[in-house]
Structure formats: structure tokens, C-alpha cells
Amino acid sequence: MTRRAVIVGAGIAGLAAALKLSQMGWEPVVIERAPARRSGGYIVAFFGRGYGAAERMGILPALRERHVGAVDMVYRKADGRHRFAVSGDTVGALLGDRGLTLMRGDIEAALYEAVAGKVPIRFGATLTAVVQDEEGVRVELGDGTVLEAELLVGADGLHSKVRELVFGPEQRFRRDLGHMVAATTLDHLPEGAREHAFTTVGRVGGIFMIANLGPGRTAAFFTYGTPDPAAELAKGPRRALADAYRDITWAAPDLIRTMPADNVYFDSVSQIIADRWSDGRVVLLGDAAWCVTLFAGYGSSLAVGGAEVLGDALSRHPDDIPAALRAWEAELRPEVEERQAMGRRSTGSHAPASRLDLLKRDLPLRLAAFPPVTRWLRRHLRLH
């Protein structure tokens, strides 16, 4: 008997779940509220559990095609003057042989290509109701369409509608870390930003970065601390960023002033803390379940790896979906909680709250810039 699954969200977690389930013989359908597939987003390091899962699921070659290799890390002062730089060789040594540098959108693109023509994706669709019983789950969409399946996967991000309908309101689970993040893709490389490099201005309170991964692949990234994320969201990205970065005179003012409203990700840095990720035949996956945050640097890897673990658990418990979901959570939760804790500890690296935080972030990077340190890292990583 063919089993059906409804997956809400066509991001990394949702597409990875669709791929894994289709490979197992399920018939998944993906619903996505956005009118079309998104692109761009953060620069991410893809490694660990996600790398292994991508290899086993057959998408690693497509990801490796998009891998840009090691990039230089250049640090500048607020007016653009050079501070120091770390070579791509050193960055590559830190990432190791089983790690990739990608745009978040590159991972989505590889997954989308893998499921295209195999899994239906309904763009512009919204979820309005969920009803489940021991036999299955019934999903109602905004246009009145009703879908019935054996499993519902909520992979719809930090502000998950599935989580709201089945588990409760967002404020019950969201833990704000007192920071904001913004990211946007650019159609040019700003003057003074190096090609194939992350060019960063870091000061007490936050960072501003221009990331270039090659021709036509440039993004701007902002993260800063705030005591009131809700007030920042109310301002909107252009005004909030202009206020937060008024002391940076290099590149940021022009980018913020000309930033297109429809091409900016702007949100609070928040984690989801939930004591369970499933309810009957409904399961949360990726940011909808945990959102380790960009400060942990492992969200994309956990999304792909978590989808694979979910599929494996369903294979081991083919006649008891709730038991499969409990087994999946038991296997994954320790790693998720470890990464969440790491994200909370890492706020000082991404948005230094004091000069001491700034020093603690910069000192290892400055040391890594010395060739003897690079050679030691290479030898050490080969041995381990």
C-alpha cells in the first residue's frame, strides 16, 4: 500500500523530507505559501550529519557542483580600512574534507531538482486546518482543498503554521536571543569588498558582512543586538538597519538605502524550545521544531540530516507512525539540544556585546592568519 504524506514548507527541511520519503516509496505532496521557489539567503557551512545524509540520499554531487571552496575572510574597520585577513587555505582546513560552503538557496535548488517531476509542489497554498485520528490526518488549505494522508510534516520554519494549529501559539515555544538578522542578495560587488571572500566589519553590537562566492553570487548580511526585537520588526528592515548601522560608513549606507523590500530576510534571532516534536501523525522538522539559529551554524545540516533520520525511523516502524516519530525524536534530540546551547553561547561571535567579546572573537582569527598555524591545522585534521 502506498503511503501519503503532506509536507508544509518547500525550504530545505521540507524538500529533504519529500526526497527521502519519495525514495522510500511514499507519495508526498508539498504545499508552500510563497508564490514561487525562493533563492539566495545566508552563506552556510554544510557538514556533519547533513553531509552524510546528502551523500546517502544522492544529492551530494549536485551540492559539490555548487560548492565554492574555501574563501578568504577579510576584516575591515567601520570606514573600510583594512584590519586583518585569514586566508582561504586556513578556512578550508577548519572546514575539513567533508564540508561545503554554499548559499542556503543552493541547497534548496539541489533538493528541488532532485524531486522535480516526482513530488508535486503547490506554491501559493496556505494551511487553515488540521484534523487527525488513529487512521490518518486531514489537511485543509485556504482555497478549500482537502488533503488526506497518513503523515503531516510541518517544515514551515520559525513561524510554523502547523505548529500553531497542532501544538499551540508561537510565543509558547519561541525563545528570542536578543538579536536581529538581515540578509539580502546583491547584483554587484560593493567597492572595497574582495572577490571570493567574506568581507566583514565587526564592532561592539553587531557585524556587517559582504559575502562573494563568485560571479553573480554576492550577499549582504547583518546581525546586531537589541533589547526589543519586536520594536525592530515594527520599524521594517530599511529603517531598523539604518538606525543600527549609522556608525558604519563603508558600503552599508548605500546598500541599506537601496535595499529592495521584496528581497530581504529580516527577523529576530530566535530558537524554538519544545518538549515534543510530534503529536500523533503530525511531526515538526527543521526550524519549525528547533531552529538552532544561524549562531549555531548547523541549521541546514540538521534539516537534511533530520529528514533522513525521520525516513529511517518510519522504515523501522512501518505500522506505527506515532512510534516512529517518537524514535526519530529520541535519536535526534540530544544533538539538537547541544547545537541550541552552542548557538546561545555564540552570540558574542556574531554580535559582540562588549570589547571583550570582540577580542575573544578576533584573537583566534588573528592567530589563524599565521602560516605555521595553518600548517598545524592541516596536519591535525588529517590525523583526526
Side-chain angles (χ1 to χ4, degrees), residues 11 39 47 69 84 97 109 112 125 130 171 183 192 194 209 225 252 260 308 319:
S39 60
F47 61 103
F84 66 95
D97 294 332
Y112 181 82
V130 175
Q171 57 265 33
R194 189 183 297 181
M209 180 178 73
E308 183 194 36
D319 300 319

Side-chain angles (χ1 to χ4, degrees), residues 332-350:
L332 205 58
R333 183 174 281 277
E335 184 175 14
V336 167
E337 291 184 345
E338 179 182 347
R339 290 290 173 175
Q340 284 184 321
M342 186 180 298
R344 292 190 291 270
R345 291 194 301 268
S346 299
T347 56
S349 298
H350 295 268

Side-chain angles (χ1 to χ4, degrees), residues 226-241:
T226 174
D228 191 352
E232 296 298 296
L233 288 171
K235 291 180 184 179
R238 190 175 295 172
R239 180 184 162 200
L241 293 173

